[in-house]
Amino acid sequence: MSMVSVQLGARRKSGPSVPVDSGADVRLSDLRPGMSGEITGIDESVEPSTARRLFDLGFAPGTEVTVLRRAPLGDPVVFQVVEYEIALRKEQAAGIRVRRTA
């Protein structure tokens, strides 16, 4: 078990878990605090009522989103969308696709 902890700790220090290429789509949940992206869509696997709610909250294609901070245990995550902040669970953020911009 301590071996797993060491590997996870090393992974955190090694850098972002998302591709360096800013042109590739990634899940919103993969971005770290300080990273930004443009929303490209919501996965079809997301329940339609949840997808509609996310859209109503501002998670619409073409919208810029920035990861502001994570809770101490990593969930939920606070995002800046348009001019306000909103917290989502990792599971919800995983259904949102973004193209990294910063």
Side-chain angles (χ1 to χ4, degrees):
M1 185 160 172
S2 63
M3 186 172 173
V4 172
S5 298
V6 172
Q7 289 174 346
L8 290 175
R11 184 174 178 222
R12 280 188 194 147
K13 294 178 184 177
S14 66
S17 62
V18 294
V20 177
D21 178 18
S22 63
D25 281 2
V26 296
R27 296 177 301 166
L28 182 57
S29 60
D30 290 337
L31 300 184
R32 295 186 337 200
M35 293 179 159
S36 297
E38 179 182 327
I39 297 174
T40 58
I42 297 177
D43 289 340
E44 291 183 13
S45 63
V46 175
E47 186 175 325
S49 61
T50 302
R52 177 61 189 188
R53 181 68 176 145
L54 290 170
F55 183 85
D56 291 345
L57 289 170
F59 293 93
T63 304
E64 184 80 15
V65 60
T66 302
V67 182
L68 296 179
R69 60 189 172 277
R70 294 186 185 274
L73 296 176
D75 200 24
V77 181
V78 179
F79 301 96
Q80 180 173 358
V81 181
V82 190
E83 295 181 7
Y84 61 93
E85 297 177 8
I86 186 163
L88 295 178
R89 296 274 177 204
K90 281 181 170 181
E91 181 181 323
Q92 295 167 318
I96 301 171
R97 304 296 293 177
V98 296
R99 182 173 302 114
R100 283 199 45 212
T101 57

